[in-house]
Amino acid sequence: MRCLVTGGTGLVGSNLTLALQEQGHEVIITGHESEQVIPGFKGKCLYPGFIGIDWDAIGNIDVLFHQAAINGTRVNDEKEIMRANLESSKHLFNYVIAHGCKKIVYASSTAIYGNNPAPYHESDPPDPQTPYAKAKLLLDDFSMELAAKDSSLTIVGLRYCNIFGPRENHKGTRATMVYQFAQQMQKGNPKLFKFGDQKRDYIYIKDVVKANILASKANESCIVNCGSGTATSFNRIVEQLNFVLGMNRKPEYIENPFQGEYQNHTECDMSLAKEKIGFVPEYSFEKGLMDYYDSGFLI
């Protein structure tokens, strides 16, 4: 199978690329050397990334895994977000379809649920609070309209929750609080927004890779949540990091500068993902964290 992974040097893209390669597939990626160089990658990498790629070098592919995006949820330049995350995605989808691709899997986001109460269901009314969320919602709409027009296409959108795991270290302040707390704890006590009871649905990267591969084999187009189905508090993260790292750091609580626009509780209902693509998360937060530590990427 010949696959194109956009954002192939990012967190999801790099792990997915290595998994596809291990399964024996031919993989082409787009990416940025500034993110990371993937050790052992044998395929073709098109630089400088998704924007400005060499379309002729792509040719015909069997499956598109579209992970590339401006993923800063606090980027407020709506025009640029729409250009990069929506219009460029439309161009990409139309290109690969015109060149014979019938399977598309792409990264959506639970950001589209905004201030809806958790757990999130795919049937919940959207409440996008940021340009990033708006662009993801519009891409969902475009994708399902595209699929409805052509029964030979299968397009699956995965609404990612908070993904953590190896190869996120290049993301800086966009890395998960799991990674950021681990880094802080190397030097002193971690700083949490008052009073650390904010919760996130943390899904481990290996489960996200599994969801993408299952989605590429789906029999019908759909949009499904991609989370663990369980929310973990920031206090719990620090508690588990202390256990894994052999430390006894104490949280230091600070004011939340994003109060009023901050999602205090994200959590996904995962029943539709099981029904539509057969995806059931394997990693609990604790199991994923231990695997993350064993990988050598956490600290």
Side-chain angles (χ1 to χ4, degrees):
M1 185 168 70
R2 195 164 189 260
C3 310
L4 172 62
V5 180
T6 67
T9 53
L11 168 59
V12 177
S14 61
N15 284 279
L16 176 59
T17 292
L18 290 172
L20 291 169
Q21 182 175 270
E22 187 176 338
Q23 291 181 2
H25 302 301
E26 180 185 355
V27 186
I28 300 169
I29 69 172
T30 69
H32 296 269
E33 286 181 314
S34 60
E35 289 185 322
Q36 59 184 302
V37 176
I38 307 175
F41 176 54
K42 302 172 183 176
K44 179 184 293 185
C45 183
L46 304 177
Y47 295 113
F50 174 48
I51 305 299
I53 60 177
D54 181 357
W55 295 100
D56 292 335
I58 294 176
N60 293 350
I61 61 169
D62 299 304
V63 183
L64 167 65
F65 295 95
H66 181 38
Q67 312 295 328
I70 294 175
N71 56 17
T73 56
R74 300 196 178 279
V75 175
N76 291 317
D77 187 340
E78 186 161 337
K79 182 177 180 180
E80 179 62 13
I81 286 283
M82 291 298 172
R83 182 190 71 82
N85 291 5
L86 178 62
E87 298 305 326
S88 293
S89 298
K90 290 180 178 180
H91 184 195
L92 174 66
F93 288 12
N94 286 325
Y95 176 90
V96 298
I97 290 169
H99 287 75
C101 182
K102 299 296 184 182
K103 297 276 188 178
I104 295 174
V105 181
Y106 71 94
S108 184
S109 174
T110 53
I112 71 102
Y113 296 118
N115 291 320
N116 283 344
Y120 304 139
H121 297 80
E122 291 85 350
S123 58
D124 290 346
D127 181 35
Q129 297 289 311
T130 63
Y132 172 83
K134 292 175 185 177
K136 287 295 187 183
L137 179 60
L138 289 170
L139 183 58
D140 283 349
D141 293 341
F142 170 79
S143 299
M144 292 303 100
E145 290 171 3
L146 196 61
K149 294 175 183 176
D150 187 346
S151 60
S152 69
L153 297 176
T154 304
I155 305 178
V156 177
L158 297 174
R159 283 182 177 161
Y160 292 155
C161 221
N162 295 77
I163 304 167
F164 74 108
R167 305 188 184 283
E168 67 168 313
N169 51 303
H170 66 278
K171 297 178 70 173
T173 57
R174 293 179 293 107
T176 62
M177 296 314 300
V178 179
Y179 180 78
Q180 292 192 53
F181 287 157
Q183 300 307 301
Q184 291 177 28
M185 290 167 68
Q186 303 304 302
K187 303 174 183 178
N189 291 330
K191 292 178 170 55
L192 284 64
F193 295 151
K194 292 181 178 178
F195 284 98
D197 53 0
Q198 302 88 352
K199 293 183 177 181
R200 292 283 182 271
D201 185 331
Y202 284 103
I203 180 168
Y204 192 52
I205 185 61
K206 288 185 177 178
D207 272 335
V208 177
V209 168
K210 175 184 173 184
N212 272 270
I213 292 173
L214 286 170
S216 72
K217 301 174 183 177
N219 295 318
E220 61 177 310
S221 297
C222 58
I223 297 170
V224 297
N225 289 334
C226 189
S228 69
T230 303
T232 302
S233 73
F234 287 176
N235 284 327
R236 176 65 174 170
I237 294 172
V238 173
E239 178 185 314
Q240 286 300 296
L241 282 170
N242 272 323
F243 173 76
V244 169
L245 301 177
M247 295 180 173
N248 189 29
R249 301 296 195 191
K250 304 297 183 183
E252 294 182 8
Y253 298 111
I254 62 175
E255 295 293 337
N256 183 351
F258 309 111
Q259 197 66 42
E261 56 181 74
Y262 193 77
Q263 287 180 298
N264 286 305
H265 184 178
T266 67
E267 186 175 348
C268 290
D269 179 281
M270 293 303 298
S271 54
L272 190 64
K274 180 180 180 180
E275 175 188 338
K276 295 293 186 181
I277 66 173
F279 174 59
V280 177
E282 176 186 344
Y283 286 82
S284 65
F285 175 76
E286 292 77 12
K287 181 180 177 181
L289 184 62
M290 185 59 72
D291 191 80
Y292 195 176
Y293 175 75
D294 289 342
S295 74
F297 280 93
L298 183 60
I299 57 174

